[in-house]
């Protein structure tokens, strides 16, 4: 099931023995993960195992204590960068719960986001006309209407619309590493395919994805290189699709996580 | 003891004393101190120390001033107050407009409010004053714009303009007050607006104060609303060192409606105060109030709103929300919602909230590449976008939104992160 790996691919992200606490609870402990260019990593794990915490720490959200560990992103110390620097340097987080911003038309927001990143990278900012023609095509592939761009960002969007909008943002920002936190949850069959197409459209030899999910169904469209099982803040198993198949059949009990953890 | 505490309610005001003496006036004149209930949060003692010069009539002329005013889309009937003086050439434009009569007025109207020294100064020191009357069943095709413009001054000056506005039965009018200045000089504009709406009339009254950040602006609006009439007010303050906008409104007819809304955007040590009093005197009248303050630096916003429901005013509805958003730890929001109800069939809600920008919203935007300042500005513009939707007139809304966004863009320190 697992793809062959090019020996030459470079590490894009490497996380070493990360330990993170929130309000004196340790959430991630001795967490290590290395993602090379072009790879798709899937992280699964029971509710509360720390998946979203990991994604927030990677994107730079406040409120987490990094007790120990090191994170390298493209050869840079990720933890010393602000959230916007991380975004401008190619990191993207698709939120499990996208945030509502009242009064800000989503089109206005998208233009500002794209131009912020372009400005940071020393590229010319798009004017309204250029942006409009750019976004038209992306909207079509993500099945998002013009009318939705006029609505305030995420306000009153359905669960599925929010997730499609996350992928729309990803497609516009063209990140080198996309961390997608349960982007497949709450999607109907068609939306799932649309989202999967969006992700596959992004994938390229120098782009990587960390897919956080609870279900197998997304993996019918996106072929993963590695499946990791996160349990109590630590990756306890790494393998291929066989892990997902066991999970679908027997749930987490089938993976005997407690004994895996001890190894 | 009683006399000392009484004394403390008054601040000595040499400028006004001298001006009164020059006019041969015997009235006692002073400024209210923070010991007065409705001046608790707004301190006029710095104003009292300014030695204002006599208003220099035509010291400079309008043509030689550098300024630009965003035009009102679709045009407007402009009345120009230049350094407190009405530019009479503008008034000639009003002679042929059906249903509209505009004239200079010898007095500031027959407003009588005792114990308010600001009004007393306005009335006794007789600045220029204008009467605007809209006759019955007139729908004005364009809004009336009152432009209060201040040119550069060598010395601080004070003026006391007046506007008397009478909208007769069945008429519909939009009025836009626009305060602006050539530079960031010190001056004081102490205005009095008296507004009377007859039966089944409608007035949309807007006020944009984007003047000198060193100006003092005190204004008093006395509004009376007749049966089945509607009054809408939206006021945006981005200028002035200290601004006090006071609205005293009476719903005097059955089914009369008022909607008072607005916003302050202030920073550094500036103070912006909106104090309103709505009196429901008639049954089935409705009032709505929504204010939103955005505060940076060491600024202070004062939002005081009192709703009084008279005993005869049964079946009325009142809704009031005073919101403040602090962008800095040192900014201060003073909100005071008040209800005084004598009727028993009444539906009134009121509330005040003081908050900050939401961290998860900020993080979401930052994670898309926006720096903290841009993220804050986008969220604030979004909040204001919704707030500006309270403005019925599209042209006025666009002007307000433009003024707000450019004021925020021109003043990023207010965001507190640079
Ligand atoms: N701010 C916080 N304060 C206290 N506990 C927190 C906080 N944030 C997260 N946690 C706890 O950290 C643990 C991990 O949460 P996280 O959201 O990372 O789980 P998850 O793996 O994403 O779960 P799910 O599959 O349900 O999305 C949970 O027990 C959660 O309650
Ligand atoms: Mg989660």
């Amino acid at each position: 099931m697992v793809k062959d790996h090019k020996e030459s691919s470079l590490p894009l992200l490497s996380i070493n023995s990360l330990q993170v606490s929130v309000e004196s609870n340790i959430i991630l402990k001795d967490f290590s993960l290395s993602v090379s260019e072009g790879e798709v990593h899937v992280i699964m794990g029971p509710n509360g195992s720390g998946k979203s915490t990991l994604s927030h720490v990677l994107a730079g959200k406040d409120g987490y204590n990094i007790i120990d560990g090191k994170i390298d992103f493209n050869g840079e110390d990720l933890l010393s960068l602000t959230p916007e620097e991380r975004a401008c340097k190619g990191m993207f987080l698709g939120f499990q719960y996208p945030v509502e911003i009242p009064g800000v038309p989503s089109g206005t927001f998208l233009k500002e986001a794209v131009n912020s990143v372009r400005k940071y990278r020393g590229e010319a900012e798009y004017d309204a006309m250029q942006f409009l023609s750019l976004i038209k095509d992306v909207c079509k592939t993500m099945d998002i209407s013009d009318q939705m761009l006029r609505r305030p960002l995420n306000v009153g969007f359905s669960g599925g619309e929010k997730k499609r909008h996350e992928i729309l943002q990803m497609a516009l920002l063209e990140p080198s590493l996309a961390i997608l936190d349960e982007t497949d949850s709450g999607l109907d069959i068609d939306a799932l395919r649309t989202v999967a197409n969006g992700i596959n459209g992004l994938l390229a030899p120098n782009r990587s994805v960390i897919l956080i999910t609870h279900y197998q169904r997304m993996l019918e469209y996106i072929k993963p290189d590695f499946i990791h099982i996160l349990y109590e803040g630590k990756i306890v198993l790494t393998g291929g699709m066989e892990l997902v198949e066991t999970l679908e059949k027997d749930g987490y009990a089938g993976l005997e996580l407690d004994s895996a953890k001890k190894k | 003891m009683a006399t000392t505490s009484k004394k403390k309610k008054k601040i000595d005001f040499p400028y006004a004393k001298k001006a009164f003496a020059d006019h041969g006036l015997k009235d006692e004149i002073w400024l209210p101190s923070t010991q007065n209930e409705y001046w608790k949060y707004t301190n006029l003692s710095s104003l009292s120390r300014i030695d204002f010069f006599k208003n220099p009539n035509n010291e400079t002329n309008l043509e030689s001033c550098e300024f630009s005013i965003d035009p009102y889309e679709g045009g407007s009937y402009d009345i120009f107050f230049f350094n407190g003086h009405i530019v009479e050439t503008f008034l000639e434009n009003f002679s042929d407009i059906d249903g509209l009569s505009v004239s200079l007025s010898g007095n500031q109207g027959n407003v009588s409010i005792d114990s308010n020294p600001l009004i007393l100064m306005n009335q006794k020191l007789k600045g220029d004053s204008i009467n605007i009357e809209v006759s019955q069943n007139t729908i004005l095709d364009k809004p009336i714009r009152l432009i209060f413009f201040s040119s550069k001054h060598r010395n601080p000056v004070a003026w006391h303009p007046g506007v008397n506005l009478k909208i007769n039965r069945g008429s519909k009018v939009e009025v836009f007050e626009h305060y602006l200045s050539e530079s960031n000089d010190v001056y004081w504009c102490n205005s009095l607006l008296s507004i009377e709406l007859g039966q089944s009339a409608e007035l949309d009254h807007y006020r944009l104060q984007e003047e000198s950040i060193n100006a003092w602006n005190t204004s008093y609006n006395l509004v009376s609303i007749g049966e089945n009439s509607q009054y809408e007010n939206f006021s945006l303050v981005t200028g002035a060192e200290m601004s006090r906008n006071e609205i005293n409104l009476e719903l005097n007819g059955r089914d009369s409606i008022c909607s008072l809304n607005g916003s302050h955007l202030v920073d550094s040590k500036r103070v912006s105060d909106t104090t309103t009093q709505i009196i429901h005197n008639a049954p089935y009248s409705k009032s709505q109030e929504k204010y939103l303050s955005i505060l940076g630096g060491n600024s202070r916003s004062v939002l005081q709103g009192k709703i009084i429901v008279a005993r005869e005013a049964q079946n009325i509805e009142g809704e009031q929300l005073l919101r403040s958003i602090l962008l800095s730890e040192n900014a201060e929001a003073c909100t005071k919602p008040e209800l005084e109800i004598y009727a028993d069939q009444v539906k009134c809600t009121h509330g005040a909230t003081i908050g900050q920008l939401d961290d998860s919203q900020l993080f979401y935007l930052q994670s898309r590449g926006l720096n903290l300042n841009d993220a804050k500005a986008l969220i604030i513009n979004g909040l204001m976008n919704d707030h500006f939707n309270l403005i019925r007139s599209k042209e006025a809304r666009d002007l307000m939104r433009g003024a707000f966004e450019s004021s925020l863009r021109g003043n990023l320190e207010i965001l507190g992160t640079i």
Side-chain angles (χ1 to χ4, degrees), chain A residues 46-53 55-56 96-97 181-182 212 214:
Chain A
N47 293 138
S49 54
K51 303 180 297 296
S52 294
T53 302
S55 72
H56 289 154
Q96 182 175 2
Y97 304 110
D181 192 356
E182 293 197 31
I212 295 171
H214 285 298

Side-chain angles (χ1 to χ4, degrees), chain A residues 171-212:
Chain A
L172 284 169
L173 295 171
E174 302 184 313
S176 53
L177 175 66
I179 304 150
L180 303 175
D181 192 356
E182 293 197 31
T183 307
D184 56 345
S185 295
L187 295 180
D188 65 35
I189 308 290
D190 296 327
L192 187 72
R193 197 173 303 131
T194 307
V195 162
N197 285 341
I199 298 169
N200 281 324
L202 176 83
L203 280 170
N206 59 348
R207 295 186 204 277
S208 313
V209 172
I210 297 176
L211 207 66
I212 295 171

Side-chain angles (χ1 to χ4, degrees), chain A residues 107-156:
Chain A
T108 305
F109 153 76
L110 291 170
K111 178 162 169 274
E112 199 161 330
V114 169
N115 277 338
S116 298
V117 172
R118 289 183 67 83
K119 192 170 155 193
Y120 185 89
R121 294 175 184 165
E123 298 161 356
E125 293 179 42
Y126 289 127
D127 64 28
M129 290 304 287
Q130 289 169 314
F131 186 73
L132 216 65
S133 67
L134 169 78
I135 198 166
K136 253 196 163 143
D137 297 336
V138 190
C139 275
K140 209 172 272 168
T141 54
M142 288 318 301
D143 196 18
I144 284 173
S145 67
D146 292 1
Q147 193 258 332
M148 195 144 150
L149 297 178
R150 270 173 261 133
R151 285 173 57 185
L153 181 57
N154 290 326
V155 178

Side-chain angles (χ1 to χ4, degrees), chain A:
Chain A
M1 289 291 338
V2 173
K3 282 190 259 178
D4 292 333
H5 293 287
K6 293 157 279 163
E7 290 299 314
S8 60
S9 60
L10 300 164
L12 180 63
L13 176 78
S14 74
I15 307 173
N16 273 307
S17 324
L18 187 67
Q19 184 154 338
V20 175
S21 72
V22 180
E23 290 169 5
S24 80
N25 302 317
I26 295 190
I27 311 294
L28 295 176
K29 35 200 128 160
D30 195 20
F31 181 98
S32 296
L33 176 70
S34 178
V35 177
S36 292
E37 288 185 336
E39 289 177 350
V40 176
H41 289 245
V42 170
I43 298 181
M44 304 179 88
N47 293 138
S49 54
K51 303 180 297 296
S52 294
T53 302
L54 173 71
S55 72
H56 289 154
V57 169
L58 289 175
K61 189 173 180 172
D62 260 356
Y64 296 93
N65 310 312
I66 315 293
I67 300 167
D68 200 9
K70 209 176 148 344
I71 307 177
D72 237 57
F73 180 55
N74 259 326
E76 265 187 286
D77 174 16
L78 183 78
L79 294 173
S80 69
L81 303 175
T82 63
E84 64 270 26
E85 285 169 330
R86 299 177 197 202
C88 293
K89 286 173 187 284
M91 182 172 282
F92 178 87
L93 168 60
F95 283 67
Q96 182 175 2
Y97 304 110
V99 180
E100 300 187 355
I101 318 270
V104 177
S106 66
T108 305
F109 153 76
L110 291 170
K111 178 162 169 274
E112 199 161 330
V114 169
N115 277 338
S116 298
V117 172
R118 289 183 67 83
K119 192 170 155 193
Y120 185 89
R121 294 175 184 165
E123 298 161 356
E125 293 179 42
Y126 289 127
D127 64 28
M129 290 304 287
Q130 289 169 314
F131 186 73
L132 216 65
S133 67
L134 169 78
I135 198 166
K136 253 196 163 143
D137 297 336
V138 190
C139 275
K140 209 172 272 168
T141 54
M142 288 318 301
D143 196 18
I144 284 173
S145 67
D146 292 1
Q147 193 258 332
M148 195 144 150
L149 297 178
R150 270 173 261 133
R151 285 173 57 185
L153 181 57
N154 290 326
V155 178
F157 286 18
S158 76
E161 284 169 342
K162 283 182 185 167
K163 297 299 173 78
R164 268 188 285 140
H165 202 272
E166 291 290 290
I167 297 301
L168 170 75
Q169 293 171 38
M170 181 189 76
L172 284 169
L173 295 171
E174 302 184 313
S176 53
L177 175 66
I179 304 150
L180 303 175
D181 192 356
E182 293 197 31
T183 307
D184 56 345
S185 295
L187 295 180
D188 65 35
I189 308 290
D190 296 327
L192 187 72
R193 197 173 303 131
T194 307
V195 162
N197 285 341
I199 298 169
N200 281 324
L202 176 83
L203 280 170
N206 59 348
R207 295 186 204 277
S208 313
V209 172
I210 297 176
L211 207 66
I212 295 171
T213 183
H214 285 298
Y215 309 107
Q216 184 176 16
R217 48 183 205 163
M218 185 67 131
L219 306 179
E220 285 160 20
Y221 300 100
I222 297 163
K223 291 291 157 239
D225 297 297
F226 299 97
I227 311 281
H228 307 282
I229 308 295
L230 184 67
Y231 181 57
E232 296 184 349
K234 196 181 159 164
I235 289 178
V236 294
L237 284 172
T238 292
M241 285 302 283
E242 73 282 359
L243 289 178
V244 187
E245 281 150 20
T246 312
L247 250 184
E248 289 278 326
K249 207 156 65 156
D250 304 322
Y252 283 102
L255 292 175
E256 295 174 6
L257 296 177
D258 283 309
S259 62
K261 192 179 156 201
K262 286 186 196 111
K263 283 180 203 158

Side-chain angles (χ1 to χ4, degrees), chain B residues 286-302:
Chain B
K286 272 188 202 163
S287 68
Q288 183 220 273
E289 269 185 285
K290 284 187 179 154
Y291 286 92
L292 173 59
S293 285
I294 312 283
L295 303 162
N298 294 286
S299 67
R300 173 182 287 194
S301 158
V302 182

Side-chain angles (χ1 to χ4, degrees), chain B residues 196-212:
Chain B
E196 198 187 321
L197 247 75
Q199 252 185 53
S200 304
E202 264 180 53
L203 174 62
D204 293 344
H205 179 193
Y206 304 113
R207 187 170 195 277
L208 172 57
Q209 211 183 309
E210 49 175 354
E211 60 193 326
S212 160

